[in-house]
Amino acid sequence: MSADSVAVPGAGRPVAAFSNDQAGFDAVDVYEITARLESSGVTDRTARRRHGARDVFDYAQSLIQVRTVIRSAGNHESWVSRDALFEAVRRGIVLILGAFLGGLTATVMAASTREVLIAGIGAWIIGQSISGIVWAQAGAGQVNRGVARGTGATILVILALACYLAVSTVLPGHDRGWAGLLMAWCWYSCVVSMLVILGSSRLLLKILGLAVPIVALALILNHRTATAIVVSVAVLVLASVTVVLVMHLRTNSDRRLFGRGGWSAAVAPAAQASFLAAALSLALTRLPDWEGTALIVATVVAAAATDPALVLMRQRLVWSSNRTPLLRHAARNARSLTMTMSAAIVVISASVSTLVVVFLVEDTRVATTVLVAAAFSSLATTSTTLAAFGLPGGGVVFAGAAFFSAEAWIAAGNTAGILVAAAFLVAGIGVLLSRVSDPRTYA
């Protein structure tokens, strides 16, 4: 349920004559781009306030980089970019391994399943918020500025959680272990969100690929030192990803961690994650422990499977639009392709959820859990797809639809919940079809 794989449009409004990344497509040099921007009404103040650049010339230089990347990507004859697809697959595996490591670590640090769930949900929401702040700048060509601002926001969040940890240490009746778990998990989620946007998934995969087997083996053997081993490995992972981020910040051309603007970009991702988390929590109230665990695993795996599918969908849309000269034909092809790919994404998500639930529960009488997992993952995928294609508000609305469907399931039973979820799913696909009818959304 993360949109980190697809570039989200910048927070600033586009210039009058050109969108942010189109002003430099056929320009001779950066001076011509600067002239175009200035003639369309962009001033130094606008460039600083909306796009994080020092002046118009600095902003024009960032658009030169965007133009180079897009042109180099457009030279490929094949519509499938293996590098982008493999990167998406690595991101999915990193998501699964990170959730697995966090869950295993939480089992030895937290006193109850409820505390583990709250810590995981908190880390998810905060991580998505930081991701939104970074993309608000990265979508306008200011990746370094985005990572710096994301790091500043992360530091503020962790300071607040550190204060809570200090209170938990002093006052009786507070669980210090849970407070420490929450702070560590949130820090990991924020740092990894930024590293994924920076394209460091290969390094993250190596770190987690080494850590997860060690933790799993320690818990399986159940040695008296298992708890110490698990906590030590988790701390080493946190230290490793932190070092990677610090190394990037040291070479970052923009080291201003704190500044005005950009905070509003965290609202939509946080709201989307909150609604999905609330829907998941409601579903867990009606499921036994094992089936609830299976539903959580199914949700994570389905989200990881959605990432490569979204990359393929965007690549195919761009490839098709570049070969269709008429706008109405491009719109028709886009709608047809979106219907096919949306159906495929929903089927993949539902199938993965079903397989995981059946495998973990090992019971043929799990129809309820399978239906809930399929409905939830389908709506979560729809919400993520809309956000990835530049409709963060739509992502929030259909994340809220997942919550409403869970409410209907709790209040009126299985049939009502599935019917409500299906109605919202059809509506979500309709909104997405309308969105992709304009090739500028993805090209």
Side-chain angles (χ1 to χ4, degrees):
M1 284 155 279
S2 172
D4 291 349
S5 62
V6 184
V8 178
R13 281 175 277 176
V15 298
F18 308 98
S19 67
N20 285 341
D21 58 356
Q22 291 176 338
F25 275 168
D26 57 349
V28 176
D29 53 24
V30 68
Y31 299 102
E32 184 175 349
I33 299 177
T34 303
R36 291 182 179 186
L37 292 171
E38 289 178 340
S39 66
S40 62
V42 176
T43 63
D44 291 343
R45 180 182 178 184
T46 304
R48 284 193 300 270
R49 181 163 51 89
R50 295 184 182 176
H51 308 295
R54 291 188 300 272
D55 49 34
V56 179
F57 186 77
D58 184 42
Y59 182 43
Q61 287 180 315
S62 71
L63 297 183
I64 281 282
Q65 298 172 358
V66 172
R67 179 187 66 175
T68 304
V69 171
I70 294 176
R71 282 183 173 176
S72 62
N75 290 332
H76 298 289
E77 292 297 329
S78 174
W79 68 272
V80 179
S81 172
R82 293 184 179 181
D83 291 341
L85 182 59
F86 288 159
E87 179 71 13
V89 172
R90 285 193 294 269
R91 284 193 299 266
I93 298 175
V94 166
L95 173 63
I96 295 174
L97 292 180
F100 190 59
L101 177 63
L104 292 179
T105 306
T107 57
V108 302
M109 292 185 62
S112 66
T113 304
R114 178 175 174 273
E115 291 181 348
V116 175
L117 183 63
I118 293 175
I121 288 175
W124 176 19
I125 294 173
I126 292 175
Q128 288 295 91
S129 302
I130 298 301
S131 177
I133 292 174
V134 177
W135 273 123
Q137 302 290 335
Q142 299 290 334
V143 179
N144 290 333
R145 165 73 52 99
V147 173
R149 292 295 171 81
T151 303
T154 300
I155 292 173
L156 293 178
V157 170
I158 296 305
L159 286 176
L161 293 175
C163 292
Y164 176 70
L165 178 60
V167 171
S168 301
T169 303
V170 175
L171 297 180
H174 290 73
D175 189 348
R176 288 173 294 176
W178 179 79
L181 170 66
L182 177 62
M183 186 173 69
W185 207 338
C186 287
W187 174 260
Y188 170 85
S189 180
C190 294
V191 172
V192 169
S193 294
M194 289 185 282
L195 292 179
V196 165
I197 295 174
L198 288 171
S200 301
S201 60
R202 192 187 300 272
L203 179 58
L204 292 173
L205 187 58
K206 292 179 181 178
I207 294 173
L208 293 173
L210 181 63
V212 170
I214 295 175
V215 170
L217 184 61
L219 292 178
I220 291 173
L221 295 178
N222 198 25
H223 192 265
R224 55 188 175 85
T225 60
T227 299
I229 293 174
V230 171
V231 174
S232 299
V233 171
V235 170
L236 287 174
V237 170
L238 284 176
S240 299
V241 298
T242 302
V243 167
V244 175
L245 179 62
V246 169
M247 290 175 62
H248 171 77
L249 291 174
R250 290 185 62 185
T251 60
N252 195 336
S253 58
D254 192 331
R255 300 183 181 181
R256 289 173 289 181
L257 302 183
F258 306 100
R260 298 174 58 186
W263 291 95
S264 60
V267 175
Q272 180 185 11
S274 299
F275 276 125
L276 292 176
L280 182 60
S281 300
L282 278 179
L284 293 175
T285 61
R286 281 195 56 180
L287 296 175
D289 289 343
W290 261 110
E291 294 190 29
T293 302
L295 178 60
I296 293 174
V297 174
T299 300
V300 174
V301 175
T306 302
D307 197 350
L310 282 175
V311 171
L312 285 174
M313 182 176 178
R314 179 177 286 275
Q315 289 182 351
R316 179 63 184 182
L317 285 170
V318 173
W319 181 83
S320 177
S321 65
N322 288 338
R323 285 157 177 77
T324 307
L326 297 179
L327 181 60
R328 64 176 182 274
H329 290 168
R332 184 172 63 248
N333 291 342
R335 287 192 291 266
S336 175
L337 174 63
T338 300
M339 282 294 295
T340 303
M341 293 297 291
S342 297
I345 292 173
V346 170
V347 169
I348 290 172
S349 300
S351 300
V352 169
S353 301
T354 301
L355 290 175
V356 172
V357 169
V358 173
F359 176 76
L360 285 183
V361 178
E362 296 181 353
D363 191 345
T364 57
R365 296 172 297 176
V366 291
T368 300
T369 309
V370 169
L371 290 175
V372 171
F376 177 79
S377 62
S378 299
L379 281 173
T381 299
T382 302
S383 174
T384 302
T385 305
L386 290 172
F389 278 85
L391 286 177
V396 173
V397 168
F398 285 94
F403 173 72
F404 186 80
S405 300
E407 287 272 19
W409 180 57
I410 296 292
N414 299 339
T415 303
I418 296 301
L419 289 177
V420 170
F424 279 123
L425 183 60
V426 171
I429 293 177
V431 173
L432 183 59
L433 289 177
S434 175
R435 179 66 171 170
V436 300
S437 294
D438 186 352
R440 292 172 295 179
T441 302
Y442 47 83

